[in-house]
């Protein structure tokens, strides 16, 4: 079962990350409010992917460097999560060893696919059979999530200029 370590100083964002993966069978999300707690957990219990907020203190870039420079956690894929207020510094992310980046708010399905791809590529802690499943049939793995995703509501104007939620 892939384990995602989610680190953000915002309790709301940690909950959003937990909810993003709660409907997907086989994913475990463990959230932390500090990088030190995440690193300690990863050293003792492992993980497959670290999602680190770029704007926390210390920031996601520093935490990424700490993970990548540690023998016990160096094989864990790292995704740095930025926002419109704290955009991603691509050079800093690359220099820290980040495997990928994403911006909040994110499209849930696109974000899930990105995470699955990172786990499949890194997968240092994932069971070999689990990683092989992602590599061999990414569309098949993604299909249940896409099928289960509810239709996103849209707001349209009716003939009388009244908003209608469809």
């Amino acid at each position: 079962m892939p384990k995602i370590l989610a680190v953000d100083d915002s309790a709301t964002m940690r909950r959003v990350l937990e909810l993003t993966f709660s409907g997907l069978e086989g994913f475990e999300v463990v959230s932390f409010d500090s990088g030190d707690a995440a690193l300690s957990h990863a050293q003792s219990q492992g993980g497959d992917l670290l999602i680190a907020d770029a704007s926390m203190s210390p920031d996601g870039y520093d935490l990424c460097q700490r993970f990548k420079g540690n023998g016990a956690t160096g094989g864990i894929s790292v995704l740095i999560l930025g926002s419109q207020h704290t955009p991603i510094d691509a050079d800093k992310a690359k220099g820290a060893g980040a495997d990928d980046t994403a911006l909040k708010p994110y499209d849930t399905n696109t974000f899930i696919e990105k995470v699955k791809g990172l786990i499949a590529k890194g997968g240092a802690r994932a069971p070999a059979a689990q990683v092989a499943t992602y590599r061999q049939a990414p569309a098949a793995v993604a299909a249940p999530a896409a099928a289960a995703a509810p239709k996103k509501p849209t707001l349209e104007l009716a003939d009388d200029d009244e908003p209608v939620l469809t």
Side-chain angles (χ1 to χ4, degrees):
M1 169 185 325
K3 182 190 288 187
I4 299 169
L5 309 174
V7 185
D8 201 300
D9 53 359
S10 163
T12 301
M13 193 60 212
R14 289 192 307 271
R15 185 67 181 136
V16 166
L17 288 166
E18 291 167 358
L19 290 171
T20 296
F21 296 94
S22 67
L24 299 177
E25 188 175 329
F27 280 83
E28 176 186 6
V29 177
V30 183
S31 61
F32 305 91
D33 62 359
S34 79
D36 290 336
L39 184 59
S40 177
H41 178 91
Q43 288 173 323
S44 64
Q45 299 183 35
D48 298 294
L49 174 69
L50 170 70
I51 299 174
D53 180 36
S55 65
M56 64 183 181
S57 180
D59 65 26
Y61 306 101
D62 178 58
L63 184 57
C64 176
Q65 249 181 333
R66 291 171 60 198
F67 263 69
K68 293 296 186 175
N70 184 304
T73 60
I76 296 174
S77 295
V78 177
L79 182 140
I80 297 178
L81 199 55
S83 69
Q84 292 176 353
H85 302 290
T86 308
I88 296 292
D89 181 331
D91 292 334
K92 197 172 177 181
K94 183 178 180 180
D99 296 283
D100 207 343
T101 61
L103 288 176
K104 304 178 262 188
Y106 51 79
D107 173 77
T108 302
N109 291 330
T110 303
F111 188 71
I112 289 170
E113 291 308 310
K114 181 178 284 223
V115 165
K116 285 180 179 179
L118 286 170
I119 290 171
K121 281 176 23 181
R125 307 272 188 254
Q130 185 82 36
V131 173
T133 301
Y134 290 135
R135 287 190 180 140
Q136 291 171 1
V141 173
K151 179 185 175 229
K152 292 183 183 178
T154 57
L155 190 60
E156 298 176 2
L157 291 178
D159 292 336
D160 58 0
D161 288 330
E162 287 294 316
V164 177
L165 190 62
T166 60

